[in-house]
Amino acid sequence: MTTPHLKSLIAGQWRDASGPSYTTDYAHDGSVVATLNASTAADVDEAVQAAEKARMKPEWANLKPHERASMLHRIAAGIRERGEELAQLQRLDNGKPIRETRALVASAAGTFQFFAAACETHEDAITPSRGDYVTMSLHEPLGVVGAITPWNSPIASEAQKLAPALAAGCAVVFKPAEITPRMAIELADIAQKAGVPDGIISVLPGKGSIVGEALVRHPLIRRIAFTGGTNVGMGIARIGAEKLMPTSLELGGKSPTIVCADADLDHAVAGVLYGIFSSSGESCIAGSRAFIHASVYDEFKSRLLAGVKALRVGDPISENTQMGPLVSQSHRASVEKYVQLGIDEGAKVLFGGVRPQGATFDKGSYYTPTVMEGLPNSARMCQEEIFGPVLAMLPWSDEADLIAQCNDNVYGLASGIWTKDYKTVWRLGRALQTGTVWVNTYKVFSTSTPFGGVKMSGTGREKGRLGILEYTTQKSYYWGTNEAPMPWATM
């Protein structure tokens, strides 16, 4: 099979970016998936300048909300028409199991459908008058926005930025993760065929230090929507402050999952397994710290280990695979360093902590699901984001101490509670410093519900009906209705 050469969409034209050629690899076996050219700062400037012109042309700026909604519906339909193809392409892009990539593609289509409805039904306000005038508050598009997306769930993350931005009337310049550019490219192609005018969307793969830096600093970029690492997000926030530019930053996490004494252990075990080991743990909301009540700790551990041993790690193309490879050899090395750090800190490895053996795994970047215990919450392995299939188990008995430990972390993205008592849910949920609290479930999402974090997990929210407003600026109008001239002028 011939390795495809991917073109970038720059200022309305499909062409090679002006930087050096590079390849993307399949995490399952290291084979080359595609070749493409990296973008440069010059490509960024060309794309942004073109976007600024395109957004002000009548064919985009004058679209009525229902017309913009129809375009978003066509994008959703285009994603669904190519659903299986896109799922297979994303499997090759980052090694996720095929069942998971199908779900991500379906989620992306649903995101465009949701924001089509939100766009068409959004209402501005006539505010209460306090004089001889009518007052109105209207939301208008910010302008050209930059979207920087991660490698772990490309098409879903890109849809969560592109759909509300288009709904608001903005133009978007995408910087996808260097190693997983395919989904942004395909999504732009679908949007273009759905009628989005040339120049409104550009896709610029390449290094964050080059493309991302140029995008964030460009004077015509009015907003950055970023999903990725905390250190990079902090850098974007600093530049945003210098430009007085709004940013939304969905960053790292070290999410606690609480199993109470009265929890349904069948449900809790299944939820904890899914929360940390689905997506091979390469998820910002992975439930990587499991706090288990001391009275059920041993029974929970026994059931959990039985579940871990039964997990099917293997080829992402298989319908039965639950865990595929990590995204790259270098990322696997990072996960391995954290596991060794945990051992050095005194952890006991209950399961995993090694590379799986066998022909299926030899060429890929696979790692076994890993469960560890014996560490205090203050240990580095319990404090820092690993972004891999590594679970730390910690017993608890005192609720006040539990809450303190859960919150004793720089991150605050998500959390989970397993209990049958609604009063416990309310008490713990209100005390946890996280943007999302899952109760007797984990890692489920709705496009209609805002998502984001607190503390070092970021700022701003994506999704939800008001997600469009993140891409708008608010303008107030005063419409005089008095019959006589202003009295000051006639004194």
Side-chain angles (χ1 to χ4, degrees), residues 73-278:
H73 277 300
R74 291 195 295 274
I75 296 173
I79 293 171
R80 291 188 174 112
E81 287 170 7
R82 295 182 56 195
E84 182 62 19
E85 176 196 357
L86 293 173
Q88 296 290 354
L89 289 174
Q90 178 150 338
R91 170 183 64 81
L92 293 170
D93 217 22
N94 69 354
K96 279 183 177 286
I98 185 60
R99 291 174 64 184
E100 187 172 342
T101 61
R102 287 184 185 128
L104 291 170
V105 170
S107 172
T111 296
F112 280 95
Q113 180 176 315
F114 176 85
F115 279 107
C119 169
E120 189 165 7
T121 58
H122 171 74
E123 296 179 347
D124 283 310
I126 296 179
T127 55
S129 175
R130 299 179 69 87
D132 293 329
Y133 45 79
V134 176
T135 52
M136 293 174 283
S137 176
L138 305 181
H139 290 87
E140 298 179 353
L142 269 174
V144 185
V145 300
I148 303 176
T149 52
W151 48 256
N152 60 324
S153 298
I155 195 169
S157 181
E158 284 144 9
Q160 288 168 20
K161 294 168 174 54
L162 182 60
L166 294 181
C170 292
V172 183
V173 179
F174 261 115
K175 191 278 173 196
E178 181 183 14
I179 61 174
T180 57
R182 189 67 181 263
M183 289 297 100
I185 290 171
E186 299 298 336
L187 193 55
D189 178 59
I190 290 170
Q192 198 176 50
K193 289 174 179 174
V196 176
D198 289 348
I200 293 296
I201 301 173
S202 286
V203 180
L204 304 173
K207 292 185 177 298
S209 58
I210 297 174
V211 183
E213 181 83 6
L215 185 61
V216 174
R217 290 190 179 278
H218 200 288
L220 291 178
I221 290 293
R222 305 302 185 193
R223 184 179 192 277
I224 290 290
F226 172 77
T227 299
T230 296
N231 288 336
V232 176
M234 291 170 64
I236 291 172
R238 283 190 287 269
I239 298 170
E242 293 170 2
K243 294 174 60 180
L244 294 181
M245 174 184 68
T247 59
S248 63
L249 308 170
E250 196 236 296
L251 309 177
K254 194 69 180 177
S255 301
T257 301
I258 300 167
V259 178
C260 298
D262 67 338
D264 183 318
L265 293 190
D266 288 336
H267 283 245
V269 167
V272 170
L273 286 170
Y274 179 70
I276 181 61
F277 297 125
S278 62

Side-chain angles (χ1 to χ4, degrees), residues 4-10 15-24 34-40 43 178 181 185 203-207 211:
H5 181 78
L6 305 180
K7 301 288 187 178
S8 296
L9 180 59
I10 304 173
R15 63 172 175 81
D16 283 336
S18 53
S21 177
Y22 73 98
T23 64
T24 63
T35 65
L36 67 162
N37 286 73
S39 303
T40 65
D43 294 327
E178 181 183 14
I185 290 171
V203 180
L204 304 173
K207 292 185 177 298
V211 183

Side-chain angles (χ1 to χ4, degrees), residues 348-376:
K348 179 182 178 181
V349 178
L350 300 176
F351 187 84
V354 295
R355 301 179 183 184
Q357 300 297 310
T360 299
F361 312 111
D362 288 346
K363 296 181 180 180
S365 49
Y366 287 89
Y367 197 70
T368 53
T370 301
V371 181
M372 308 178 81
E373 69 174 357
L375 289 175

Side-chain angles (χ1 to χ4, degrees), residues 326 329-345 353 355 367 372 380-381 384 386 390:
L326 300 182
Q329 304 280 354
S330 60
H331 184 59
R332 179 175 64 181
S334 173
V335 172
E336 288 175 323
K337 287 180 181 178
Y338 267 107
V339 171
Q340 186 57 54
L341 173 63
I343 294 171
D344 294 342
E345 291 178 305
R355 301 179 183 184
Y367 197 70
M372 308 178 81
R380 280 185 61 190
M381 206 199 79
E384 299 176 17
I386 299 174
V390 182

